[in-house]
Amino acid sequence: MNPKLRRPLVAGNWKMHGSRGEAGRLVGGLLAGAAGAGAAEVVICPAFVHLADVGRQLAGSPIALGAQDVCAEEPGAHTGEVAAAMLADIGCRYVIVGHSERRALYGEDDALVARKFLAARRHGLVPVLCVGETLAERDGGATAAVVLRQLDAALAAAGAGAFEQAVVAYEPVWAIGTGRTATPEQAQEVHALIRGRIGEKDARISASLRVLYGGSVKAGNALELFSMPDVDGGLIGGASLQAGEFLAICRAAGG
Ligand code: 13P
């Protein structure tokens, strides 16, 4: 593995999976194996209803808690939403914003995602900003334009300084849940583009920014992806639901 300036990060996005019992057993399995998880920072992002339980289980462990989404607004009359202040209050450190499933299935646009990014930062949460192109966009040669448009929305709203406490996740939509992973070279090309964009504004922050890859990461392909110079870990969906598989991915990132 290449020596890196940045501590690798592996985040498990459980999506809308898991009963209370299943969540408890999965966390139990992760805690049992966490000592051997290596040097990477590890985060798990359960559904909202499990955050408090999982947070209690993780207390005192090296595994951090994250949420999968956040409301852009401050606490108030927003039925069904969850505020950044609430997530911070129950011990979340990270929150995913702009996941492609939120963009595609729930109509979230770049402007809303940027407002969610800002809400997270206002309350001391580290946003994990997801960007990525669809297959049609890649085939049409629009990958760079799409990824930079998504990144620029948050950059314009929050400024480069906000990325000192933020993470970017490149998740090509065609690789999510499909078993079709980006090649290490495809991932590296886009990761370098993302880092370069931040670097146009602030070289120091760009050098410390962690850019994660997401999309069909498994224990078997993690090492070759994480060995690329600008890939600083992963955002893991399906494989984060199995303790052994997820811990193996964490070990691949931690070197
Ligand atoms: P998979 O790892 O299941 O492809 O999901 C990736 C993802 O969407 C993580 O946010």
Side-chain angles (χ1 to χ4, degrees), residues 5-6 195 198-199 202-210:
L5 299 165
R6 303 168 288 274
R195 193 179 310 287
I198 303 293
D202 190 307
R204 184 182 60 82
I205 291 174
S206 152
S208 66
L209 176 71
R210 292 181 293 185

Side-chain angles (χ1 to χ4, degrees), residues 199-251:
E200 289 169 18
K201 311 282 182 202
D202 190 307
R204 184 182 60 82
I205 291 174
S206 152
S208 66
L209 176 71
R210 292 181 293 185
V211 184
L212 311 184
Y213 169 78
S216 297
V217 178
K218 306 273 180 285
N221 60 23
L223 190 57
E224 59 174 10
L225 286 159
F226 299 162
S227 298
M228 302 310 281
D230 288 297
V231 179
D232 305 307
L235 181 55
I236 318 301
S240 72
L241 298 171
Q242 295 162 294
E245 182 83 6
F246 186 63
L247 288 169
I249 294 169
C250 295
R251 280 194 295 278

